[in-house]
Amino acid sequence: MLSALKIEWMKVKNYRTFWILLGITLVSIPGFNYMSYNITNNSFPKGRNGQNPILGSPFSFPDVWNTVAWNASILFIIPALLIITLTTNEFTFKTHRQNVIDGWSRQRFISVKLVMVLLLSILCTLVVLLTVLGFGFIANKPGPGVSIIQGSRMVFFYFVEMLSYSMIALLMSILIRRSGLAIGVFFIYMLAEQIVVGIFGKSYHMKWVNYLPEEVTDMLLPQPYAKALFQRNAADWEHHIPVYLAISALYLIIYCVLTSRRFVKADL
Amino acid sequence: MSNILSINSITKFYGSIRALHEVSFDVPPGSVFGVLGPNGSGKTTLLGIIMDVLSASGGTYSWFGEPPSERSRQKIGTLLETPNFYHYLSGEKNLHIAAAIKGRGKDDISRVLEVVKLTERKDSRFSTYSLGMKQRLAIASCLLGNPSVLVFDEPTNGLDPVGIAYTRELIRDLAKEGKTIILASHLLDEVEKVCTHVAILQKGQLLMAGDVNVVLTNEDFVELGAPNLDQLRTALAGLRGVRQLKDLNGYIQLVFEKDALMELGEINKYCFDHGVVLNHLQLRKKSLESKFMELTN
């Protein structure tokens, strides 16, 4: 696998689009959080304790874990674009065929793509972690008695969500093969699921929508702002985390199997 | 030594369309094996199956006497349809990737670039190459590691006359080196000039396969001319063993029954004895093209 990864690296290291999209992905995580930090810090009146009573202190420990991870999760579309571009390029240039002709097995080709998605998810998660630490320690120094690690599991939840979205992007690239169409379908799918969640979940209180592929990972990262206004049942959420994680894992296995089977069985 | 490639009852369906129907043949070592057929006959589909980019609906094949594997494909240089490279990378960097996948070192890259005369443009992006240069880069990729088996699918497609001549010459040179070459083409003169074996496909059916000399055996014919063709025709009507007699371009063409071909001297004497003085007498070999047309029409 290491030699296959080296070859994958050879494919992208001189590809400008790869560096641009990767750069945007990595910079946008702290960048978007900084923008959010500025807005929450400067645009709302503060109370005596230096906090807005409704917003709270989303960029201080322990809430910063949730805030940064949630903000970063809004940007999933950018790494998804990167994955779709790199994968559909193979179909556009027919290099997926050539790689197999030259001696890769189909399984090796698709396995290295899956590993690339995993590595990209780990990289983004590391950036989220660094961003959390940056805001938590530099922008807002933790006060005495504040737990730093409380809420750190949010970074892991971000990783699960990032991996899930990335795997959906890879699956769509393998199924659709065309860059523009795959991006379009990815967007439409995201939108469609949010509409379904909005209609059935919020209007009719149907809980099953929480277990849809995107929504189940979204549920792992609760909205961090103005918790006083959007009071949720924290105990209920806590209680459901193992279920959300188990179902997310199940979806990830399904994406892996579908992606591999499709590439291994189909005519290239 | 076992066959380089053995194809056994390969069948391929695209939906309800049958692209290949129980195709079987063997490619012996050291042969230049032409896979012939008109457009849509299934040549590329067959090559796609044996290189594992298409899945067969039925049948089996083996490379080097073993079940197909990535290891066997690494030992084969293949140009299937169009040259497939990363457009944003240079020719040389594309070859680095191909060499790495084939499990070869980088040390052969400069040699193959020199063989296809692309050394000067090795640092240019693939997207800036002309069609001929792209095709030559694909051939360079095939030659990486000096494989003993090469598979070329329409290697002169889209090339200019210089490119066609160059590619033919290269294939001839490779054949002289004793390499096994599988060459799919609908350009019959291209195949006829270099092939030792042929398989002829039409609408997915294998019409004929084997040694060129066997496939074309007993297909020699004699071309005769005389001042009075009517008199010649009448005289030849009585000649024993003649299967077919037809007028062609001011001459009469004689095709004999199997093993009944007469010596030219005998034919000359026969005509003279029947009062016809020949002004043209020539033994001709049936071209692959005529054989192909006969089989596919």
Side-chain angles (χ1 to χ4, degrees), chain A residues 29-171:
Chain A
I29 293 172
F32 185 70
N33 272 289
Y34 184 70
M35 196 174 77
S36 172
Y37 170 77
N38 263 340
I39 293 169
T40 53
N41 219 28
N42 302 326
S43 305
F44 297 96
K46 290 173 185 168
R48 280 184 202 159
N49 60 355
Q51 291 180 9
N52 181 289
I54 295 172
L55 276 177
S57 185
F59 284 91
S60 299
F61 282 115
D63 285 349
V64 67
W65 293 102
N66 189 175
T67 309
V68 169
W70 189 84
N71 280 343
S73 74
I74 294 173
L75 308 165
F76 282 141
I77 189 67
I78 306 170
L81 278 178
L82 176 61
I83 290 162
I84 291 173
T85 304
L86 292 181
T87 312
T88 54
N89 266 352
E90 302 272 10
F91 294 106
T92 307
F93 303 145
K94 293 187 178 179
T95 39
H96 67 302
R97 285 166 64 99
Q98 197 61 45
N99 288 177
V100 171
I101 287 168
D102 286 340
W104 264 3
S105 66
R106 292 170 177 228
Q107 190 59 57
R108 182 178 292 265
F109 180 94
I110 201 62
S111 297
V112 78
K113 294 285 179 216
L114 290 167
V115 172
M116 287 290 277
V117 164
L118 180 68
L119 291 177
L120 182 64
S121 301
I122 291 171
L123 183 63
C124 289
T125 307
L126 284 175
V127 174
V128 167
L129 178 65
L130 290 174
T131 307
V132 168
L133 297 177
F135 281 104
F137 282 110
I138 300 166
N140 286 322
K141 286 199 167 49
V146 172
S147 171
I148 289 166
I149 56 165
Q150 188 193 339
S152 57
R153 61 182 173 166
M154 291 295 176
V155 174
F156 174 67
F157 295 161
Y158 168 85
F159 170 72
V160 172
E161 194 173 0
M162 165 76 192
L163 191 60
S164 176
Y165 275 74
S166 302
M167 289 293 297
I168 294 174
L170 180 65
L171 176 61

Side-chain angles (χ1 to χ4, degrees), chain A residues 11 90 100 103-104 267-268, chain B residues 12 53 55 70 73 86 88:
Chain A
K11 291 180 188 177
E90 302 272 10
V100 171
W104 264 3
D267 284 344
L268 302 181
Chain B
K12 173 70 180 173
V53 292
S55 307
E70 50 263 49
R73 288 198 303 281
Y86 298 92
Y88 50 86

Side-chain angles (χ1 to χ4, degrees), chain A residues 168-183:
Chain A
I168 294 174
L170 180 65
L171 176 61
M172 286 188 177
S173 308
I174 295 292
L175 289 177
I176 298 167
R177 297 182 172 208
R178 290 182 195 163
S179 160
L181 201 56
I183 291 167

Side-chain angles (χ1 to χ4, degrees), chain A residues 16 93, chain B residues 83 85-92 94 118-137:
Chain A
R16 196 184 304 157
F93 303 145
Chain B
F85 292 104
Y86 298 92
H87 289 209
Y88 50 86
L89 293 180
S90 69
E92 189 179 31
N94 269 298
L118 274 178
T119 305
E120 281 182 17
R121 291 292 304 275
K122 70 185 170 75
D123 295 323
S124 304
R125 285 203 301 180
F126 178 74
S127 57
T128 66
Y129 282 13
S130 69
L131 187 59
M133 289 164 74
K134 286 176 180 173
Q135 196 81 348
R136 273 151 53 201
L137 186 69

